[in-house]
Amino acid sequence: MSNLDLNTPITNPRLTELLAQSKLVQHDPEALNQQMNLIFEEIANRANLLAITTIDDSKVTHNGNGTATFNKGATISFHLLGAADGSAYLPLFTDWDNIGMDPIVQTQKISAMVMPFDQFASMMDDNLAGVVVNPYNENLAITKAQILHIANVKKMNAGGVATEKIQKDTPVKIGEPGNYPTDMVNSISAYAKKNKNINAIHLKLMEKEGELVLLLIVDFVGNKEDVFPGIAEAARPHIPQGYGLGMIPINDSFGQKAADNKPFYVKKKGLFGF
C-alpha cells in the first residue's frame, strides 16, 4: 500500500458485512433481492467509498495532514475499468485492503478520493456504464440506470421529486400492476383534486434493469415543481414494499407511448369545460 498517498483510514464495516452475506444467498433469488436492497440502501445513505485517482502534482499543494489544496489548472483523472462490450465502469472500494488488490497500485503512484453516493451518482454520463464495488473481491456491478433510480428514490424519500429518465437503448418493460396499489392511488387522487394544475394521471408498472417501478405519467400544466412534490408526498406512505416510484410528464416521448391505458385520475371540468 506504499503507493497510496491518502492516509486517513476509510472503512465501511456495515457494507462489508452486507456484501459478505450476499455471497451466502446467491442461490436464493428472494433472499438475494432483499440483501441487495439492504446493500443499495447502505451505499445510498451511509457508505463512503474510495475511487482511485491520479493527480497532476505540479498543481497541488500537499498540506502534510493527509489533505491537499488543488490550485488553478489542477486535473484529476479517475481510474476506470473496461467491460467486454467496450463500456467503462468506475471502480469503487470499501477500504484500503480492497484498493490494494488493484494491479494499478503496484505500478503507479496513485491517490484515492472519498466518494459518497451523491458524488459518484452525479458523475453518471454517456461515458460511464455504472460503478463496480470491490472489483477484485465481491465485484458488485451497479449500472447507471440503477444508480439513477436509487438517486431518484433517495431524493423522493428526502421530500424531493423522483423523475424517471429513460436512457436510450435501456431495456424497459411496461405493463399493468398485478397487485393494484389502491391506497396509493386514492391518496394521490385526493391530492390531485386540490391541485388545479393536474389534468390526469396514468399508472403503469415498469421493469427496468431488474427494478420494479410504479410509474406515474402526469398530464399537467405549468411547472412540474408545482406538481410532482405534492404527488410524491401523497404517494410515499402507501408505496408497496419492493417497488420504486417514478414520475414523467405525459408530453415526454416515452410518457406519450406508455400512457395507453385509462387514467386513474381525471380532473372534473365545469359546465363550460374549465
Side-chain angles (χ1 to χ4, degrees):
M1 300 296 291
S2 59
N3 286 335
L4 295 174
D5 67 4
L6 187 63
N7 54 29
T8 302
I10 294 291
T11 60
N12 290 277
R14 174 61 175 159
L15 178 57
T16 301
E17 178 185 0
L18 291 172
L19 290 169
Q21 291 172 352
S22 69
K23 293 181 178 180
L24 304 178
V25 294
Q26 289 292 326
H27 302 293
D28 184 340
E30 184 176 349
L32 181 59
N33 183 62
Q34 293 176 353
Q35 192 68 17
M36 292 308 300
N37 282 330
L38 292 174
I39 289 172
F40 288 158
E41 195 270 339
E42 181 69 17
I43 289 174
N45 296 312
R46 286 175 290 276
N48 285 310
L49 301 174
L50 293 164
I52 294 176
T53 63
T54 55
I55 303 172
D56 179 4
D57 267 347
S58 66
K59 303 290 185 178
V60 176
T61 301
H62 294 276
N63 302 321
N65 58 355
T67 66
T69 301
F70 294 87
N71 302 313
K72 185 177 180 180
T75 58
I76 302 175
S77 300
F78 288 91
H79 172 47
L80 301 179
L81 294 176
D85 61 1
S87 58
Y89 284 77
L90 174 69
L92 297 172
F93 303 87
T94 55
D95 48 55
W96 302 120
D97 289 339
N98 275 284
I99 281 188
M101 297 179 186
D102 195 311
I104 195 174
V105 175
Q106 310 304 324
T107 60
Q108 297 182 33
K109 181 179 179 181
I110 65 168
S111 301
M113 178 178 291
V114 179
M115 299 282 284
F117 174 81
D118 291 347
Q119 186 166 348
F120 69 76
S122 69
M123 295 172 59
M124 293 298 111
D125 57 19
D126 293 339
N127 298 316
L128 284 175
V131 305
V132 183
V133 179
N134 290 347
Y136 302 96
N137 192 348
E138 292 86 6
N139 194 31
L140 173 63
I142 309 176
T143 67
K144 175 168 61 177
Q146 289 174 316
I147 291 169
L148 295 177
H149 174 69
I150 293 169
N152 270 337
V153 172
K154 182 178 180 182
K155 185 176 182 180
M156 184 184 67
N157 289 340
V161 180
T163 304
E164 287 291 333
K165 294 182 179 179
I166 312 301
Q167 302 293 327
K168 185 179 179 180
D169 300 328
T170 299
V172 173
K173 295 180 181 178
I174 295 290
E176 304 295 329
N179 297 316
Y180 196 75
T182 303
D183 290 344
M184 186 187 81
V185 164
N186 289 342
S187 181
I188 294 172
S189 296
Y191 165 76
K193 290 178 182 178
K194 302 174 184 177
N195 190 325
K196 296 181 179 180
N197 290 332
I198 300 175
N199 295 320
I201 308 176
H202 299 254
L203 173 66
K204 302 289 284 191
L205 177 65
M206 178 173 69
E207 182 180 351
K208 182 180 69 171
E209 301 284 336
E211 298 286 333
L212 293 176
V213 178
L214 293 169
L215 182 65
L216 301 173
I217 306 157
V218 188
D219 180 355
F220 65 96
V221 294
N223 299 318
K224 66 181 180 181
E225 290 77 13
D226 298 325
V227 173
F228 283 17
I231 294 177
E233 185 69 23
R236 189 175 300 115
H238 308 287
I239 300 172
Q241 185 175 4
Y243 291 82
L245 181 73
M247 282 180 276
I248 56 175
I250 199 168
N251 58 9
D252 178 275
S253 59
F254 182 82
Q256 292 174 0
K257 295 177 182 178
D260 58 0
N261 60 351
K262 182 179 179 180
F264 68 81
Y265 171 80
V266 178
K267 181 171 68 173
K268 290 184 179 180
K269 296 184 179 181
L271 179 63
F272 299 101
F274 298 103

